[in-house]
Amino acid sequence: METVTIKNLKDFEGQEVKINGWVYNRRSIGKVWFLILRDGTGLLQCVVVDGECDLESFQLEQNLNQEDSVSVTGVVKKEPRAVGGFELGVKNIDVINHTSNEYPISNKEHGTDFLMSNRHLWIRSKRQNSILRIRHQIIKSIRDFFDNNDFILVDSPIFTGNAVEGTTTLFELKYFEKKAYLTQSGQLYQEAGAMAFGKSYCFGPVFRAEKSKTRRHLTEFWMVEPEMSYCDLNQNMDWMESLVTYIIDEVLKHCQSELIVLERNIDKLEAVKSPFPRITYDEAVDILKQNNIEFTYGKDFGASDETAISNQYESPVMIHSWPVDTKAFYMKRDEINNNLALGVDMIAPEGYGEIVGGGQREDNIDILIETIRHHDLPLKPFEWYLDLRKYGSVPHSGFGLGLERFVAWVCGTKHIRETIPFPRTMARLEP
Ligand code: 4AD
Ligand code: MG
């Protein structure tokens, strides 16, 4: 007899199989009772009929608790009314572990803090499971996209000797006799990668000591960062757009049932189409003005500003050409207007905020030294980075897509903490 998963049951119609899983729920109607089984790939209704299975298994009904682990054998039957289209006619139930205490997460309402403290169990539930499955699909799509487009994976280190995205959110640690930081972004190393391979990317965790408790910030999050040599700001935006449309198409192709569990409005995702609007910072400021939103020119946009701007469009909007002081030291300046940096942010629709940040990099060594000084950063740890401008410097660009913000948008979950298996925030280090 084969051991199979719920997801693959359709290949075993009429056959006797074994499924390993956990008790999700059960209910009884006299001589028949139903065990709803969960195996991590889906849910399955198992029908237990007196006389059709062994007596011991039939009598288990009163003794099974939610999340008991069980191996169930039975015959796969087509049942159009059941979730997944199949049910199991049970022959035998083997209890692997009987949970003596009541499982902490029941069908009643629990507060989010309680659920977060039980995150290690909460991820078994339908909604959380669906979000993490979609996250899995998004990660796969990202990797496929870069593989299909001849990017080479160049892993950036996590211990670093310098800041990338400003000094206010650095996690500092003792590194033998020296100080080190947890990386905020793998970008600088990708610039070396792009010069070595033409196109490279890294995809890993990055760290920011975010003291703000918002629904968009984690202290540890995942970022994918491609970098392309011989690439200007506009070509960079082309890459951003193709990556995002590719991921959305793949999620729509492979995650319909998860999106349904999440009650996601799929029309909104289907409306995401190339070309995405590309507007300048100045044009974005005009949109705020037209909507009577107070805004000081020269500042970065706040969450409500981003929402007002993105509400104008169905697809994500790319805002480029920013006042120099809003952006990091490595941004190239616009050759026509020196007060503008060739940075670009992509803002998701429906109020999900900035999902991608990137731009064209400064490739002139003298200007770069000047801006490092202007940002009050020490030159020493950037010596290797300056080498990239000494030896065969070329126009190059790249960007970073924040995985959890992206998952939040695709899933339609308001809070970023549900988009990563074990979130790290200012207030949470466990589980
Ligand atoms: O805009 P950011 O800071 O850009 C960079 O780090 C560049 N060095 C990337 C590059 O060009 N290679 O961050 C990129 C993205 C943001 O758009 C956002 O989606 C996400 O990372 N992000 C966060 N996500 C969760 N929690 C936080 N604290 C985040 N900070 C940024
Ligand atoms: Mg940014």
Side-chain angles (χ1 to χ4, degrees):
M1 191 190 350
E2 276 207 67
T3 302
V4 302
T5 58
I6 293 172
K7 184 172 157 251
N8 295 326
L9 275 186
K10 59 178 185 316
D11 301 332
F12 296 92
E13 196 186 337
Q15 296 181 39
E16 191 172 318
V17 297
K18 176 173 167 181
I19 301 169
N20 296 322
W22 294 265
V23 174
Y24 192 74
N25 211 340
R26 58 180 165 71
R27 64 195 164 82
S28 169
I29 45 167
K31 285 205 171 318
V32 180
W33 63 276
F34 300 94
L35 161 65
I36 310 300
L37 186 71
R38 173 185 83 72
D39 78 340
T41 74
L43 292 177
L44 174 68
Q45 171 163 286
C46 305
V47 189
V48 195
V49 184
D50 192 9
E52 287 182 18
C53 68
D54 62 72
L55 187 64
E56 211 180 317
S57 299
F58 186 77
Q59 287 171 341
L60 269 176
E61 195 216 337
Q62 294 309 319
N63 293 317
L64 282 182
N65 288 336
Q66 189 187 350
E67 291 302 322
D68 278 358
S69 42
V70 288
S71 286
V72 185
T73 53
V75 178
V76 181
K77 296 175 184 163
K78 209 175 193 136
E79 174 49 75
R81 286 167 301 176
V83 251
F86 291 92
E87 64 178 25
L88 198 75
V90 173
K91 292 267 172 71
N92 174 264
I93 302 171
D94 220 359
V95 179
I96 310 299
N97 176 238
H98 180 56
T99 57
S100 46
N101 298 312
E102 203 176 311
Y103 186 66
I105 303 175
S106 62
N107 282 329
K108 63 172 189 278
E109 286 278 310
H110 296 287
T112 311
D113 203 54
F114 172 84
L115 291 169
M116 268 300 160
S117 295
N118 285 283
R119 184 69 177 161
H120 52 297
L121 303 175
W122 194 24
I123 56 176
R124 299 179 188 190
S125 73
K126 229 157 94 181
R127 212 186 126 76
Q128 297 307 313
N129 212 271
S130 296
I131 295 173
L132 295 181
R133 280 178 175 282
I134 291 175
R135 176 185 166 103
H136 169 87
Q137 177 62 51
I138 291 174
I139 293 172
K140 175 171 167 25
S141 307
I142 288 171
R143 293 210 182 275
D144 289 346
F145 178 86
F146 289 118
D147 283 353
N148 296 342
N149 284 289
D150 296 329
F151 282 72
I152 297 299
L153 179 73
V154 175
D155 300 305
S156 291
I158 284 174
F159 287 137
T160 60
N162 56 269
V164 190
E165 296 298 327
T167 49
T168 52
T169 62
L170 275 178
F171 275 113
E172 192 182 301
L173 54 107
K174 198 167 162 292
Y175 192 76
F176 306 105
E177 301 311 313
K178 283 188 182 169
K179 253 198 284 188
Y181 308 102
L182 294 180
T183 190
Q184 299 164 303
S185 155
Q187 175 196 322
L188 307 189
Y189 297 94
Q190 293 316 303
E191 293 185 51
M195 300 307 143
F197 298 98
K199 294 186 296 243
S200 72
Y201 78 105
C202 63
F203 195 176
V206 293
F207 305 87
R208 299 201 189 172
E210 300 280 2
K211 293 196 186 73
S212 48
K213 290 185 195 153
T214 77
R215 55 188 179 81
R216 289 182 183 175
H217 290 92
L218 295 165
T219 53
E220 175 178 332
F221 63 98
W222 283 63
M223 184 157 39
V224 61
E225 298 184 85
E227 191 74 26
M228 295 74 68
S229 58
Y230 293 98
C231 179
D232 66 14
L233 177 69
N234 271 310
Q235 293 166 313
N236 195 28
M237 289 195 271
D238 293 342
W239 281 113
M240 286 162 67
E241 188 177 304
S242 348
L243 171 65
V244 170
T245 49
Y246 181 79
I247 305 171
I248 297 292
D249 286 350
E250 289 295 293
V251 170
L252 286 170
K253 215 183 283 171
H254 300 292
C255 299
Q256 284 292 327
S257 58
E258 286 83 1
L259 292 168
I260 289 167
V261 168
L262 298 174
E263 295 174 1
R264 180 67 169 108
N265 183 345
I266 291 169
D267 294 347
K268 296 269 189 199
L269 295 178
E270 281 171 346
V272 174
K273 287 263 172 328
S274 287
F276 294 178
R278 299 178 184 191
I279 62 173
T280 61
Y281 173 89
D282 285 17
E283 286 165 337
V285 172
D286 283 342
I287 292 174
L288 295 180
K289 262 194 222 143
Q290 284 153 19
N291 286 278
N292 299 316
I293 296 166
E294 228 175 277
F295 181 78
T296 318
Y297 187 91
K299 287 246 150 71
D300 199 355
F301 299 116
S304 57
D305 303 324
E306 288 177 349
T307 303
I309 297 162
S310 65
N311 277 347
Q312 313 294 313
Y313 311 100
E314 290 196 308
S315 289
V317 51
M318 294 191 270
I319 307 175
H320 62 87
S321 305
W322 293 67
V324 165
D325 286 338
T326 59
K327 290 292 172 195
F329 74 92
Y330 52 72
M331 291 277 183
K332 191 174 174 64
R333 291 183 184 210
D334 186 332
E335 270 159 15
I336 297 160
N337 181 348
N338 225 248
N339 298 318
L340 297 179
L342 299 180
V344 50
D345 282 6
M346 184 188 279
I347 315 294
E350 301 172 78
Y352 286 92
E354 183 200 324
I355 45 173
V356 183
Q360 187 168 342
R361 322 305 190 187
E362 184 51 71
D363 47 42
N364 176 295
I365 191 164
D366 299 322
I367 302 177
L368 192 55
I369 290 174
E370 195 186 298
T371 54
I372 290 175
R373 289 214 176 98
H374 176 75
H375 281 257
D376 265 337
L377 295 165
L379 266 179
K380 181 88 181 63
F382 289 105
E383 270 168 11
W384 68 269
Y385 185 65
L386 293 169
D387 269 357
L388 304 174
R389 278 74 183 167
K390 261 191 225 162
Y391 308 113
S393 188
V394 297
H396 63 287
S397 303
F399 58 88
L401 179 148
L403 178 65
E404 288 76 17
R405 296 241 187 119
F406 200 92
V407 175
W409 166 45
V410 171
C411 292
T413 52
K414 282 294 170 213
H415 207 298
I416 198 169
R417 66 189 160 202
E418 292 179 30
T419 63
I420 183 164
F422 297 99
R424 294 291 174 256
T425 59
M426 200 180 162
R428 190 169 287 286
L429 203 52
E430 284 165 358

PDB file of all heavy atoms in Angstrom, residues 165 208 300 327 345 354 356-358, ligand 2:
ATOM      1  N   GLU A 165      22.642  51.593   3.986  1.00  0.00           N
ATOM      2  CA  GLU A 165      21.428  52.405   3.947  1.00  0.00           C
ATOM      3  C   GLU A 165      21.337  53.322   5.167  1.00  0.00           C
ATOM      4  O   GLU A 165      20.364  53.291   5.908  1.00  0.00           O
ATOM      5  CB  GLU A 165      20.207  51.492   3.858  1.00  0.00           C
ATOM      6  CG  GLU A 165      20.131  50.664   2.583  1.00  0.00           C
ATOM      7  CD  GLU A 165      20.024  51.509   1.317  1.00  0.00           C
ATOM      8  OE1 GLU A 165      19.410  52.587   1.362  1.00  0.00           O
ATOM      9  OE2 GLU A 165      20.579  51.083   0.294  1.00  0.00           O
ATOM     10  N   ARG A 208      17.671  45.504   9.925  1.00  0.00           N
ATOM     11  CA  ARG A 208      17.598  46.937  10.212  1.00  0.00           C
ATOM     12  C   ARG A 208      17.016  47.152  11.597  1.00  0.00           C
ATOM     13  O   ARG A 208      15.956  46.607  11.917  1.00  0.00           O
ATOM     14  CB  ARG A 208      16.742  47.647   9.168  1.00  0.00           C
ATOM     15  CG  ARG A 208      17.352  47.484   7.790  1.00  0.00           C
ATOM     16  CD  ARG A 208      16.915  48.489   6.793  1.00  0.00           C
ATOM     17  NE  ARG A 208      17.431  48.058   5.492  1.00  0.00           N
ATOM     18  CZ  ARG A 208      17.129  48.605   4.346  1.00  0.00           C
ATOM     19  NH1 ARG A 208      16.301  49.627   4.307  1.00  0.00           N
ATOM     20  NH2 ARG A 208      17.649  48.147   3.223  1.00  0.00           N
ATOM     21  N   ASP A 300      10.912  62.635   1.973  1.00  0.00           N
ATOM     22  CA  ASP A 300      10.503  61.324   1.481  1.00  0.00           C
ATOM     23  C   ASP A 300       8.983  61.215   1.682  1.00  0.00           C
ATOM     24  O   ASP A 300       8.429  61.891   2.543  1.00  0.00           O
ATOM     25  CB  ASP A 300      11.228  60.232   2.284  1.00  0.00           C
ATOM     26  CG  ASP A 300      11.227  58.897   1.551  1.00  0.00           C
ATOM     27  OD1 ASP A 300      10.583  58.794   0.483  1.00  0.00           O
ATOM     28  OD2 ASP A 300      11.873  57.957   2.049  1.00  0.00           O
ATOM     29  N   LYS A 327      18.061  60.341  -0.851  1.00  0.00           N
ATOM     30  CA  LYS A 327      18.578  59.029  -1.267  1.00  0.00           C
ATOM     31  C   LYS A 327      19.982  58.747  -0.733  1.00  0.00           C
ATOM     32  O   LYS A 327      20.689  59.644  -0.298  1.00  0.00           O
ATOM     33  CB  LYS A 327      18.564  58.948  -2.802  1.00  0.00           C
ATOM     34  CG  LYS A 327      17.150  58.878  -3.386  1.00  0.00           C
ATOM     35  CD  LYS A 327      16.472  57.564  -3.036  1.00  0.00           C
ATOM     36  CE  LYS A 327      15.004  57.528  -3.429  1.00  0.00           C
ATOM     37  NZ  LYS A 327      14.260  56.435  -2.791  1.00  0.00           N
ATOM     38  N   ASP A 345      11.646  54.238  -6.731  1.00  0.00           N
ATOM     39  CA  ASP A 345      10.870  53.423  -5.788  1.00  0.00           C
ATOM     40  C   ASP A 345       9.654  52.881  -6.529  1.00  0.00           C
ATOM     41  O   ASP A 345       9.040  53.611  -7.308  1.00  0.00           O
ATOM     42  CB  ASP A 345      10.333  54.281  -4.630  1.00  0.00           C
ATOM     43  CG  ASP A 345      11.404  54.595  -3.592  1.00  0.00           C
ATOM     44  OD1 ASP A 345      12.584  54.252  -3.820  1.00  0.00           O
ATOM     45  OD2 ASP A 345      11.045  55.199  -2.564  1.00  0.00           O
ATOM     46  N   GLU A 354       5.888  50.988  -0.462  1.00  0.00           N
ATOM     47  CA  GLU A 354       7.089  50.753  -1.275  1.00  0.00           C
ATOM     48  C   GLU A 354       7.508  49.286  -1.217  1.00  0.00           C
ATOM     49  O   GLU A 354       7.849  48.770  -0.168  1.00  0.00           O
ATOM     50  CB  GLU A 354       8.227  51.643  -0.745  1.00  0.00           C
ATOM     51  CG  GLU A 354       9.495  51.521  -1.561  1.00  0.00           C
ATOM     52  CD  GLU A 354      10.735  52.001  -0.800  1.00  0.00           C
ATOM     53  OE1 GLU A 354      10.631  52.982  -0.032  1.00  0.00           O
ATOM     54  OE2 GLU A 354      11.787  51.381  -0.975  1.00  0.00           O
ATOM     55  N   VAL A 356       9.719  48.034  -3.829  1.00  0.00           N
ATOM     56  CA  VAL A 356      11.048  47.955  -4.431  1.00  0.00           C
ATOM     57  C   VAL A 356      11.718  49.314  -4.322  1.00  0.00           C
ATOM     58  O   VAL A 356      11.083  50.349  -4.513  1.00  0.00           O
ATOM     59  CB  VAL A 356      10.971  47.580  -5.942  1.00  0.00           C
ATOM     60  CG1 VAL A 356      12.370  47.430  -6.536  1.00  0.00           C
ATOM     61  CG2 VAL A 356      10.155  46.327  -6.180  1.00  0.00           C
ATOM     62  N   GLY A 357      13.039  49.296  -4.026  1.00  0.00           N
ATOM     63  CA  GLY A 357      13.834  50.524  -4.060  1.00  0.00           C
ATOM     64  C   GLY A 357      15.104  50.251  -4.839  1.00  0.00           C
ATOM     65  O   GLY A 357      15.687  49.175  -4.708  1.00  0.00           O
ATOM     66  N   GLY A 358      15.517  51.198  -5.674  1.00  0.00           N
ATOM     67  CA  GLY A 358      16.741  50.959  -6.451  1.00  0.00           C
ATOM     68  C   GLY A 358      17.179  52.210  -7.178  1.00  0.00           C
ATOM     69  O   GLY A 358      16.750  53.316  -6.840  1.00  0.00           O
TER      70      GLY A 358
HETATM   71 MG    MG B   2      13.615  52.673  -0.071  1.00  0.00          MG
END
